[in-house]
Amino acid sequence: MKLLSGAIAAVDHGGSLGRASALFPHAPQPFLDLSTGINPHSYPLFDLPATALSRLPEAGRLRELAEIAANAYGAQSAAHIVAAPGTQILLPRVASLVRPGKALVLGPTYAEHARAAAIAGHAVVEVRDFDALADADLAVLVNPNNPDGRVIERDRLVGLAARLRAKGGLLVVDEAFMDVGPIEHSLAGDVGEGGIVVLRSFGKFFGLAGVRLGFALADQLTTERLEAQLGPWAVAGPALEYGIRALADAKWQGGMRQRLAADAKRLDELLSRFDIAVAGGTSLFRYLSFPDAQSLFSALGERGVLLRHFADRPQVLRVGLPGSEEDWQRLESALAAWASRREDAPREC
Amino acid sequence: MKLLSGAIAAVDHGGSLGRASALFPHAPQPFLDLSTGINPHSYPLFDLPATALSRLPEAGRLRELAEIAANAYGAQSAAHIVAAPGTQILLPRVASLVRPGKALVLGPTYAEHARAAAIAGHAVVEVRDFDALADADLAVLVNPNNPDGRVIERDRLVGLAARLRAKGGLLVVDEAFMDVGPIEHSLAGDVGEGGIVVLRSFGKFFGLAGVRLGFALADQLTTERLEAQLGPWAVAGPALEYGIRALADAKWQGGMRQRLAADAKRLDELLSRFDIAVAGGTSLFRYLSFPDAQSLFSALGERGVLLRHFADRPQVLRVGLPGSEEDWQRLESALAAWASRREDAPREC
């Protein structure tokens, strides 16, 4: 157990080319950024109507988005959906749905959950054991987990939610990567019972992290409370238009799930050729845990290939998917250079 | 005085074509929407780089936006600037900067301020007298005011802020329409003293309400608290790119101020030809207060010209600026039809 109370300082994240340049000032640019779990194959861009930028977003269009999102995510109805400018901005609002108490976060995981719970006034503890979460006022987990891909089965989650609900607590399940499954363990269809908030991210699976769109799924009273906090026009015009089109496009989604699964398999095979075993992950990122992780991070970074490392866990890395064939070649060359250097290096015995 | 405590229900606003269609189902479409104070002459649209949509917004780009905004608004430095996806989403966060107490809102004004203060737990009262604000824990006013354009002089605001600051209170000045002046009464340069939050809106003056961009200006401790609430990536890629380009474009801004002032004068002259006196406003909207306001609203609405009315003040209207010459003609025709009907109508004596 790790006490995180008061940890409201800014958190380090993947996806910043500015920080990459500071870390690896001599790396060839542009970076190949594999430090996020964002799909490199974006949903096809299209021309937005000028009014998506010039006019206030329409309430009717927002209702349409909620209908489509409910259908795409498997919520019972649009009344269970709150659209927001990214899930990130929802986190302190969601953590504030229960009075300040004991927040337990199943870790290690996405660090913003602990920060948000602390901002909301909770005493935050990171736990490693799922069963320990039953003791919380606010229990938070990511499913599948980031960065290791661990999955908690739906029936265990439903049981935990019932226990928390009975004492006025709340279970928050961040399903940021659930678009690539395992969908049978999603709680999206269970939020109507109350005591559950499910978070869904639009930008990761659709490769559109810049538009800022995310959703909270909850019972109707909770969605009304969150909507009151956001106020009108929380979702920008471009996010509305992309959300409506992409979330309704089941054909693209199905094809993309297959493509990402194949890409993840290809990445595992490539890494194994360099004796790097993949310890977990999802189709959007792979999780590595091995003693040489720090040397791999540095060697690839110097070649402009950016992985995600974690300051407090030097043996761990997360690797996103390359997009183009050129990117795959670049990753392979960088891995080969690291491997040959490793073979040349004197070993400690 | 009007007690607004607990008034956290959704508020009616201008700018919704969905509601316009419901009100005026037989009106010729598309509507000419004069129900907002949004500039009809948008900042020129440009092609966004694909990465503005696909990648997470860069922290470095956000810092750049804060520098440019500080300069454009007259804040002492970027450390006094928080960028957000619209000012709207900031309102409950700003109201929560002081412990729940007595919130006084100088009204009538933009209704979301009272709603946000109530959400933050304050007992909210609308006051009509500026001097009454000194009694508040949280004092809120809009300057220049929406919808009547009333201006409070800067030295009075500075004095009020000092009184509130001395007792741990907060003055919030919403300068949503201050881009069109009177800039000498802006508090943007005074926020470093503490106890003041100034709100600035990007979408209104630049005619880009759909991108969702707004700013809070405050002392550094307060900007850090607000940034912690927003978390990373609060501002979407398109908002970052438009904000950086448009706020740095002093030439466009200067020209637009002149154009809007001329347009506002033209609107006043047009209205006066139909015996409608303008009672106030800014260069982005005009304020009407006369007994026949409701008949004007209905007559124009039936012709597809949408003004802003206020459910609780039937004698009051707000009129935005037409954009194209065609829109001016349409407004004039609708006014003429209303005037001829008025002349034909039997008068009560």
Side-chain angles (χ1 to χ4, degrees):
Chain A
M1 274 205 186
K2 202 173 157 190
L3 188 67
L4 297 165
S5 175
I8 62 166
V11 166
D12 196 32
H13 293 287
S16 168
L17 296 181
R19 208 176 46 252
S21 293
L23 265 176
F24 303 109
H26 308 299
Q29 303 247 2
F31 280 96
L32 166 55
D33 184 9
L34 307 181
S35 73
T36 77
I38 299 165
N39 183 355
H41 313 296
S42 297
Y43 189 82
L45 301 188
F46 56 88
D47 286 335
L48 293 167
T51 50
L53 299 175
S54 62
R55 286 187 56 85
L56 282 168
E58 276 286 336
R61 206 81 179 125
L62 186 64
R63 282 193 297 273
E64 208 174 324
L65 175 64
E67 293 282 353
I68 288 168
N71 185 52
Y73 293 139
Q76 288 166 296
S77 79
H80 296 294
I81 299 274
V82 182
T87 48
Q88 179 64 49
I89 208 166
L90 284 170
L91 300 187
R93 312 290 83 74
V94 168
S96 296
L97 290 169
V98 284
R99 284 175 197 283
K102 188 197 289 186
L104 301 180
V105 180
L106 188 60
T109 193
Y110 183 60
E112 291 286 342
H113 288 294
R115 196 182 68 85
I119 284 178
H122 297 285
V124 187
V125 177
E126 183 182 297
V127 298
R128 300 295 167 107
D129 175 18
F130 173 78
D131 293 323
L133 294 174
D135 208 30
D137 299 300
L138 173 71
V140 185
L141 58 91
V142 181
N143 206 36
N145 193 41
N146 170 13
D148 59 11
R150 180 214 61 228
V151 172
I152 307 285
E153 295 77 13
R154 179 176 162 276
D155 55 0
R156 298 182 74 191
L157 296 171
V158 167
L160 173 61
R163 291 183 63 177
L164 295 176
R165 183 167 55 238
K167 60 174 183 175
L170 178 67
L171 172 62
V172 176
V173 182
D174 180 355
E175 296 186 353
F177 295 98
M178 187 55 94
D179 304 74
V180 292
I183 195 65
E184 65 272 24
H185 296 301
S186 170
L187 279 197
D190 301 291
V191 297
E193 301 295 314
I196 303 172
V197 171
V198 168
L199 299 169
R200 298 295 297 245
S201 165
F202 176 78
K204 294 175 182 71
F205 176 62
F206 291 98
L208 293 170
V211 309
R212 309 313 294 143
L213 178 62
F215 301 90
L217 286 64
D219 64 274
Q220 200 168 339
L221 192 66
T222 303
T223 59
E224 284 166 9
R225 285 177 67 186
L226 291 172
E227 274 163 4
Q229 288 279 347
L230 295 175
W233 319 300
V235 175
L240 270 183
E241 296 307 314
Y242 273 99
I244 286 170
R245 190 179 295 196
L247 283 168
D249 191 345
K251 189 179 165 198
W252 185 92
Q253 293 167 38
M256 185 52 63
R257 278 188 196 100
Q258 293 188 349
R259 181 177 187 178
L260 292 170
D263 283 358
K265 188 160 172 279
R266 177 177 176 181
L267 182 55
D268 288 2
E269 287 165 359
L270 176 61
L271 293 167
S272 79
R273 281 172 42 207
F274 297 97
D275 293 326
I276 302 168
V278 171
T282 74
S283 295
L284 282 164
F285 59 82
R286 309 306 289 160
Y287 176 68
L288 314 181
S289 178
F290 68 116
D292 273 357
Q294 198 55 43
S295 110
L296 180 66
F297 175 76
S298 301
L300 265 59
E302 284 159 16
R303 283 168 183 78
V305 177
L306 198 65
L307 310 184
R308 174 76 163 106
H309 72 145
F310 301 85
D312 55 342
R313 286 176 291 157
Q315 83 291 358
V316 162
L317 291 172
R318 192 185 63 194
V319 190
L321 299 176
S324 67
E325 212 45 52
E326 193 189 338
D327 289 345
W328 282 99
Q329 297 305 325
R330 193 169 167 195
L331 172 60
E332 183 170 349
S333 302
L335 285 167
W338 167 76
S340 73
R341 202 162 72 175
R342 181 169 59 164
E343 278 158 25
D344 296 344
R347 300 285 175 124
E348 288 178 23
C349 298
Chain B
M1 277 206 187
K2 200 173 158 191
L3 189 66
L4 297 166
S5 176
I8 61 167
V11 165
D12 196 31
H13 293 286
S16 169
L17 296 181
R19 208 176 46 253
S21 292
L23 264 175
F24 303 109
H26 307 298
Q29 303 250 359
F31 279 96
L32 166 55
D33 184 9
L34 306 181
S35 73
T36 78
I38 299 165
N39 183 355
H41 312 297
S42 296
Y43 189 81
L45 300 189
F46 56 89
D47 286 335
L48 292 167
T51 51
L53 299 175
S54 62
R55 287 188 55 85
L56 282 168
E58 276 285 336
R61 205 80 180 128
L62 187 64
R63 283 192 295 274
E64 209 174 323
L65 175 64
E67 293 283 352
I68 288 168
N71 185 53
Y73 293 139
Q76 288 165 298
S77 79
H80 296 294
I81 300 273
V82 183
T87 49
Q88 179 64 47
I89 208 166
L90 283 170
L91 299 187
R93 313 287 86 72
V94 168
S96 296
L97 289 169
V98 285
R99 286 175 197 281
K102 188 198 288 186
L104 301 180
V105 179
L106 187 60
T109 191
Y110 182 59
E112 291 287 341
H113 288 294
R115 196 183 67 87
I119 283 179
H122 296 285
V124 187
V125 176
E126 182 181 300
V127 299
R128 300 294 168 108
D129 175 18
F130 173 81
D131 293 323
L133 294 175
D135 207 29
D137 300 298
L138 173 71
V140 185
L141 58 90
V142 181
N143 205 38
N145 193 42
N146 171 13
D148 60 10
R150 178 214 61 226
V151 172
I152 307 285
E153 297 78 12
R154 180 176 161 278
D155 55 359
R156 298 181 76 192
L157 295 171
V158 167
L160 173 62
R163 291 183 63 177
L164 295 176
R165 184 166 54 239
K167 60 174 183 174
L170 178 68
L171 172 62
V172 175
V173 182
D174 180 355
E175 297 186 353
F177 294 98
M178 187 54 93
D179 304 74
V180 292
I183 195 64
E184 65 273 24
H185 296 302
S186 171
L187 278 198
D190 301 289
V191 296
E193 302 293 315
I196 304 173
V197 170
V198 168
L199 298 169
R200 298 294 297 245
S201 166
F202 176 78
K204 295 175 181 72
F205 176 62
F206 291 98
L208 293 170
V211 308
R212 307 314 294 143
L213 179 61
F215 300 89
L217 286 64
D219 65 275
Q220 201 168 339
L221 191 68
T222 303
T223 59
E224 285 166 8
R225 285 177 68 186
L226 291 172
E227 275 164 2
Q229 289 278 347
L230 294 176
W233 319 300
V235 176
L240 271 183
E241 296 308 314
Y242 272 99
I244 286 170
R245 188 178 296 195
L247 284 167
D249 191 345
K251 189 180 164 196
W252 185 91
Q253 293 167 39
M256 186 50 64
R257 280 188 195 97
Q258 292 187 349
R259 180 176 186 178
L260 292 170
D263 282 359
K265 185 160 174 278
R266 177 177 176 181
L267 181 55
D268 289 3
E269 287 165 1
L270 176 62
L271 292 166
S272 79
R273 283 174 40 207
F274 297 96
D275 293 324
I276 302 169
V278 172
T282 74
S283 295
L284 282 164
F285 58 82
R286 310 306 289 160
Y287 176 70
L288 314 181
S289 178
F290 69 115
D292 272 356
Q294 197 55 42
S295 108
L296 180 65
F297 174 77
S298 301
L300 267 58
E302 283 158 16
R303 282 167 183 79
V305 177
L306 198 64
L307 310 184
R308 173 77 163 107
H309 73 146
F310 301 84
D312 55 342
R313 286 175 291 155
Q315 83 291 358
V316 162
L317 291 172
R318 192 184 65 194
V319 190
L321 299 177
S324 67
E325 211 45 50
E326 192 188 338
D327 289 345
W328 283 99
Q329 297 308 325
R330 193 169 168 195
L331 172 61
E332 182 170 348
S333 302
L335 286 166
W338 168 76
S340 74
R341 202 161 73 176
R342 182 168 59 165
E343 278 157 24
D344 295 345
R347 301 281 174 129
E348 287 179 26
C349 298

